[in-house]
Amino acid sequence: MGMHGHLTFLLLSLCVPGTFVRATVLPDLPRVVALSEDTVPGTRVAEVTVSCSNSSSSPNVTLDTIEPDHPFNSIAISSDPTDATTFRAEVTLRAGAELDARQVNQYTLSLRAACPGEDEVEGRLFVRVTTGQVLRCDTPFASAEGDVVEVLADVAPRTPLYAVLRQPLGGLMFRLRNHNTPLTLTRRGLVLAPDNGFDPNKDNQTFRLEIEVMDRHGHNCSGAVRVEVLPSRRPRVTFLKPHWAVTVTEGIGPWEVVTRVYARGDNVRYAILAPVAPTLFTIDEVTGEIRSTRQLEVIRAYLLIRAYNALHPDDHATTTVNITVQGTDRQAPRCVPAIFVSQVLETVSPGTTLVTLRCTDSTSTDECLHYALEGPPSSHSHFCMEGPRLKVNATLDYDSEAMAALGFQFTAIIVVTVGGQPLQSTRVPVLVTVTPVNEFRPACPSSATFTVPETAAFGSVVGRVAGTDRDYPPDSLEYSVEGGSGPAQPFSIDRRTGEIRVVGPLDSQQQKSYRLVVQLTDTHNDLDLRKRQSRLCDVSVHLQAVPDQLPVCIPEVQELRITAGSPGSHQPVTHLVCHSSPDSVVLTYTIVGGNEDGRFRLEGNTLVYLPNDQARPRTFVLLVEVWGGSGARRRSSVVALVVHVTPWSTPVPPSTTTQHTTLPKEPLVVTQTEAMWHPPAWFVAVLTISGALLLATLGCMVRKLLCGNRAPGKLFLGKSSWDVVEHTRGKEEQGHPHASSPGQFDGRAQDPRECPVSQPQEQPRVVFPRAEGSGDRRDGDQARGAVTECCLHLRHRQGLSLQQRHWGSALDLKGLTRAPCDPQLHVGSAG
């Protein structure tokens, strides 16, 4: 064909349309592009070249990405002025796009390009987002509203409240645009509380700070933060009393406690404001104890005490203390009673006088006596003094947790002092115990309707009647059912808890619901038991019907093979698998047929065989009735069991138990169980020893048989166990010699004393003696029978050894002397 032919074929192939289809080419992909997070929206990210085989029209290029919210625009296509078949695909940032390398540091773009009439190709463009150099502030801070910070008014001075940047970079400068704020901005961008703290007396305070951040390159960002000051949640410092009056006697030494002031609040400290330089008294900064600095004389002193919060000095309170130092020319007043102990009902009205003190001093004037009540705050709030009278100041509610925390008792001290310049004071201890009063009746629960299935077992819980009582202790009630429990009301209630339980049979067909009248009686609410209160509550119990279903046993017919154990043992045969609906119903099993001799019994659902000493195999057909339910709704099913019992001594195949299972319903399932017999270790040991003894015995017998050349021994025969022995022998033809003639030796050993057999004669007939008759005749018959028996044995023992035949030469027949067997002795029939 030559070079010219090849070129012609190539040109024709290129010119013929449709001969070859060229695919679009993306020569620049795959490709990795780095993009700073500071890039302005609309910036071109990358330009990709698309090469087509013709220039008829521009290709179709689409952009796909695995990120759902990518920041890129659709592909823009432009032609290459130098090559008509080459096009440029531009990837640009979308308007409003924000790149953050901390959230997404790489985007994977998939470009699909297809020129007209050409196959589509795909290429990937990887855009890596790098950290930019532009300074950025956090979104809440840089927003128009700014960030919000809430602080308490009692925050300590110069406490850091806000950080402009969580991780500030080096070389940053922070500037506060507005200066009309008590807050402070540090060089590290921390907003601090005022130097003197916030004013705790103002309810709501708000401060707005506009902050500008700038780096060393001139990049900056700005934002705002709003600080909202909330009221303090801590308690304010307050004194229990605005004025304190203390009277002491002269002669108190230095550093003795004169009195103590107390203020409520957090971190409370005490100080004396006036006089500025006290000379007689000092106060403990922590405890508030006022002590003398020297020995006191008769004097009146005035102190102004200030209590303040150590962390917030602006939180403070003041009180005055009047200290009177009196001389020793007066005596302490005497009071009756000297101690007051009483019990009061919780219903006592405020203003009631509990006790009136009768006090006198040395001047016998009551006008100069002053009465004051000291004690815990609870006593001050519930009692007060009006002159010498102790009165109830507030309601004494026994039915409260606060009263229970006090133990239902109040303690206080009545201090009686003499006015003017008192010498001493008298202190009267007071103990008041509050007793309960049964004020409220028990209340029934809002809902007292219960539902119980009619198959509920005895003792099942139906529900709980939750009565209430507002008297203390709360809900201390006793429960009882009107009318008690019985057939018409098969329920009982727990006396303490109020739980209702089933105590009788239930049948929804006879009665669908029950109405119980439950009595609630309060307890421990009054000292007088006659004041107990009660209430009757209606309780409804509905019975839920349960469909009647017979017990189902799987399988219903079983065939079993067992090997009986030793007599007196306890041998399980099988377990009956039965169930009923509902599953809580208890099933009972009873053998109703086939157990004639009582060899089987049921223990729950387990059939047990009681072996005996029977020697023959036996088959039992047992009928077991399975009962479910209770009362009149009991239902039963019958299971048939065919049990083949093989005695222990009877050889059985290796499989000792074979169970055939037949189901009456489809599909038919047959279950066969083969159990291999594994004898115990003691049985194997006994069998081995018995076999060894048997082999040893057989060896001895063979040895004795082979030793035939020894002298014949003596055969001792015991008393025969036969009652009648008859032995007949046929006549031998007269004139014919015996097979063993004297002239021939037949190989059998002979005893010279045995009966001759050469002469034909009738075999003697031996009959043992009868029971009746004289003693002589019976003894003679016995002797003759023994001798004849000896001859018969000798006649038929020709196959024995010489020693065995020799044993037969001597007999011991009940006291008779040894006598040789005489073959000529014939014994006829007795009598």
Side-chain angles (χ1 to χ4, degrees):
M1 189 171 177
M3 181 64 69
H4 184 270
H6 285 289
L7 293 176
T8 303
F9 176 75
L10 181 59
L11 291 175
L12 290 175
S13 301
L14 294 175
C15 294
V16 176
T19 304
F20 295 94
V21 179
R22 180 181 176 185
T24 306
V25 179
L26 297 174
D28 297 340
L29 300 182
R31 180 179 169 190
V32 179
V33 177
L35 185 65
S36 174
E37 63 179 357
D38 302 332
T39 305
V40 181
T43 303
R44 183 176 64 184
V45 178
E47 186 178 70
V48 180
T49 302
V50 181
S51 179
C52 300
S53 60
N54 56 72
S55 59
S56 59
S57 62
S58 61
N60 181 23
V61 181
T62 59
L63 176 63
D64 296 333
T65 179
I66 59 175
E67 289 80 6
D69 299 330
H70 63 86
F72 304 102
N73 292 319
S74 301
I75 301 298
I77 303 297
S78 61
S79 60
D80 190 352
T82 60
D83 188 356
T85 61
T86 302
F87 299 89
R88 303 293 182 184
E90 292 185 355
V91 180
T92 58
L93 275 180
R94 190 175 55 199
E98 293 184 0
L99 300 179
D100 190 350
R102 291 175 294 180
Q103 296 183 0
V104 180
N105 59 2
Q106 179 172 312
Y107 293 91
T108 302
L109 307 180
S110 178
L111 277 70
R112 300 177 183 272
C115 295
E118 299 182 6
D119 294 340
E120 184 183 54
V121 296
E122 180 181 356
R124 291 202 172 186
L125 177 65
F126 301 94
V127 180
R128 292 183 179 175
V129 181
T130 60
T131 304
Q133 299 297 329
V134 176
L135 183 63
R136 291 179 178 272
C137 295
D138 294 338
T139 302
F141 172 74
S143 61
E145 294 79 6
D147 207 350
V148 179
V149 179
E150 294 181 350
V151 297
L152 298 176
D154 57 353
V155 67
R158 299 191 62 81
T159 300
L161 305 179
Y162 183 78
V164 177
L165 295 179
R166 297 179 181 178
Q167 296 180 354
L169 303 175
L172 297 181
M173 293 181 294
F174 299 89
R175 185 173 65 88
L176 190 63
R177 292 182 178 180
N178 58 329
H179 299 281
N180 55 347
T181 175
L183 304 178
T184 304
L185 179 65
T186 65
R187 295 181 178 180
R188 299 183 58 83
L190 297 178
V191 178
L192 305 181
D195 295 341
N196 297 326
F198 296 104
D199 188 358
N201 298 323
K202 295 183 179 180
D203 294 338
N204 294 317
Q205 305 176 61
T206 303
F207 304 93
R208 179 179 175 85
L209 287 80
E210 296 180 359
I211 301 173
E212 181 181 6
V213 184
M214 181 179 297
D215 62 6
R216 66 184 65 180
H217 302 291
H219 301 120
N220 63 349
C221 66
S222 61
V225 58
R226 187 172 71 254
V227 179
E228 297 181 357
V229 182
L230 305 178
S232 174
R233 298 189 181 95
R234 59 178 175 80
R236 304 281 299 174
V237 176
T238 56
F239 277 103
L240 298 180
K241 296 188 299 182
H243 304 284
W244 302 72
V246 181
T247 302
V248 296
T249 59
E250 62 180 346
I252 294 180
W255 208 246
E256 291 188 16
V257 176
V258 176
T259 187
R260 179 178 180 270
V261 294
Y262 176 76
R264 289 180 297 185
D266 295 337
N267 305 309
V268 178
R269 298 292 184 269
Y270 302 92
I272 299 178
L273 298 181
V276 178
T279 58
L280 297 178
F281 304 97
T282 183
I283 189 169
D284 189 285
E285 182 183 13
V286 178
T287 62
E289 292 180 346
I290 299 177
R291 299 174 180 268
S292 60
T293 58
R294 63 182 183 180
Q295 188 171 359
L296 299 180
E297 300 176 352
V298 178
I299 193 175
R300 288 180 179 268
Y302 169 82
L303 301 178
L304 179 63
I305 307 298
R306 178 181 181 181
Y308 62 94
N309 190 326
L311 300 180
H312 305 279
D314 293 338
D315 183 11
H316 58 83
T318 58
T319 186
T320 59
V321 179
N322 293 324
I323 302 176
T324 302
V325 182
Q326 297 182 345
T328 59
D329 57 345
R330 307 181 68 95
Q331 295 180 357
R334 296 185 299 272
C335 297
V336 178
I339 182 172
F340 177 69
V341 179
S342 176
Q343 290 185 350
V344 297
L345 298 176
E346 62 172 328
T347 55
V348 65
S349 301
T352 303
T353 300
L354 298 182
V355 65
T356 300
L357 296 180
R358 298 186 301 274
C359 300
T360 59
D361 64 346
S362 58
T363 61
S364 300
T365 58
D366 296 340
E367 292 79 5
C368 298
L369 298 179
H370 298 273
Y371 300 88
L373 187 67
E374 295 182 356
S378 58
S379 299
H380 279 278
S381 61
H382 287 85
F383 303 98
C384 64
M385 293 296 299
E386 287 188 1
R389 292 180 297 274
L390 175 64
K391 290 188 175 183
V392 178
N393 191 37
T395 302
L396 305 177
D397 187 9
Y398 188 92
D399 309 318
S400 64
E401 296 296 336
M403 185 67 69
L406 296 174
F408 309 102
Q409 290 183 342
F410 293 93
T411 59
I413 295 178
I414 301 176
V415 181
V416 183
T417 58
V418 179
Q421 304 235 342
L423 174 64
Q424 290 179 350
S425 61
T426 299
R427 305 170 70 87
V428 179
V430 175
L431 175 62
V432 179
T433 302
V434 182
T435 58
V437 175
N438 196 351
E439 302 176 83
F440 308 101
R441 290 184 63 190
C444 296
S446 58
S447 176
T449 302
F450 307 101
T451 302
V452 62
E454 62 179 348
T455 57
F458 182 90
S460 300
V461 177
V462 176
R464 179 177 178 269
V465 180
T468 57
D469 189 3
R470 290 187 294 169
D471 289 311
Y472 191 91
D475 305 334
S476 57
L477 300 173
E478 290 183 356
Y479 301 84
S480 61
V481 177
E482 292 291 320
S485 303
Q489 195 167 264
F491 301 98
S492 68
I493 191 168
D494 189 275
R495 181 168 170 263
R496 296 297 182 187
T497 64
E499 287 186 347
I500 299 177
R501 295 180 180 270
V502 178
V503 294
L506 305 177
D507 192 347
S508 62
Q509 297 179 356
Q510 297 181 3
Q511 189 169 351
K512 297 184 179 298
S513 63
Y514 294 86
R515 178 180 174 273
L516 307 179
V517 179
V518 178
Q519 182 178 5
L520 310 182
T521 306
D522 54 15
T523 60
H524 311 296
N525 300 131
D526 202 305
L527 298 180
D528 189 357
L529 298 181
R530 295 173 298 178
K531 296 182 179 180
R532 297 177 63 182
Q533 302 188 43
S534 62
R535 185 183 296 272
L536 298 179
C537 304
D538 292 334
V539 178
S540 299
V541 179
H542 299 285
L543 299 187
Q544 181 181 1
V546 178
D548 297 336
Q549 292 188 7
L550 297 177
V552 178
C553 298
I554 301 176
E556 296 181 356
V557 179
Q558 298 187 44
E559 183 177 5
L560 307 168
R561 298 180 183 275
I562 63 172
T563 299
S566 59
S569 61
H570 186 271
Q571 185 173 356
V573 178
T574 185
H575 297 277
L576 300 181
V577 181
C578 303
H579 63 88
S580 180
S581 179
D583 295 337
S584 60
V585 174
V586 179
L587 301 180
T588 57
Y589 304 83
T590 307
I591 300 177
V592 296
N595 193 19
E596 293 82 3
D597 54 355
R599 305 318 304 170
F600 294 88
R601 72 179 182 186
L602 281 170
E603 296 180 357
N605 65 334
T606 303
L607 180 66
V608 177
Y609 176 67
L610 305 176
N612 57 2
D613 54 355
Q614 66 174 0
R616 294 182 298 103
R618 186 174 178 182
T619 300
F620 297 86
V621 179
L622 305 177
L623 298 179
V624 179
E625 188 172 13
V626 184
W627 287 89
S630 60
R633 306 183 63 86
R634 297 189 67 192
R635 301 292 185 268
S636 65
S637 298
V638 177
V639 179
L641 302 176
V642 180
V643 183
H644 303 281
V645 180
T646 303
W648 178 265
S649 59
T650 304
V652 295
S655 176
T656 60
T657 302
T658 303
Q659 177 175 343
H660 300 282
T661 305
T662 305
L663 288 178
K665 299 180 181 180
E666 292 296 335
L668 182 62
V669 179
V670 177
T671 304
Q672 181 176 357
T673 304
E674 295 184 359
M676 301 301 295
W677 179 60
H678 298 281
W682 65 267
F683 182 81
V684 175
V686 171
L687 184 62
T688 303
I689 296 174
S690 301
L693 293 177
L694 179 61
L695 292 177
T697 304
L698 292 177
C700 293
M701 292 179 64
V702 172
R703 180 179 180 186
K704 292 177 181 180
L705 291 175
L706 295 178
C707 298
N709 54 352
R710 296 182 180 180
K714 299 179 180 180
L715 178 63
F716 294 92
L717 299 178
K719 182 179 180 180
S720 176
S721 62
W722 299 343
D723 293 337
V724 178
V725 180
E726 295 184 356
H727 190 85
T728 60
R729 179 184 176 215
K731 291 184 178 182
E732 297 181 359
E733 295 182 1
Q734 188 175 358
H736 293 279
H738 194 269
S740 300
S741 61
Q744 289 182 331
F745 178 69
D746 56 0
R748 295 178 295 179
Q750 298 182 359
D751 192 342
R753 293 174 295 178
E754 66 179 333
C755 299
V757 297
S758 60
Q759 297 181 359
Q761 56 183 356
E762 184 179 1
Q763 181 68 22
R765 183 167 177 262
V766 180
V767 179
F768 275 87
R770 299 179 182 177
E772 62 274 6
S774 61
D776 296 338
R777 182 180 178 181
R778 182 165 57 250
D779 295 338
D781 292 342
Q782 288 181 353
R784 291 192 296 272
V787 174
T788 305
E789 181 179 357
C790 172
C791 295
L792 293 176
H793 278 282
L794 295 177
R795 184 178 299 276
H796 293 283
R797 67 183 183 131
Q798 294 180 3
L800 301 178
S801 63
L802 294 176
Q803 184 180 1
Q804 292 172 339
R805 286 181 290 174
H806 178 71
W807 291 346
S809 61
L811 298 174
D812 186 6
L813 301 175
K814 287 189 176 180
L816 297 180
T817 58
R818 182 176 304 175
C821 295
D822 189 0
Q824 302 298 327
L825 180 61
H826 298 276
V827 182
S829 66

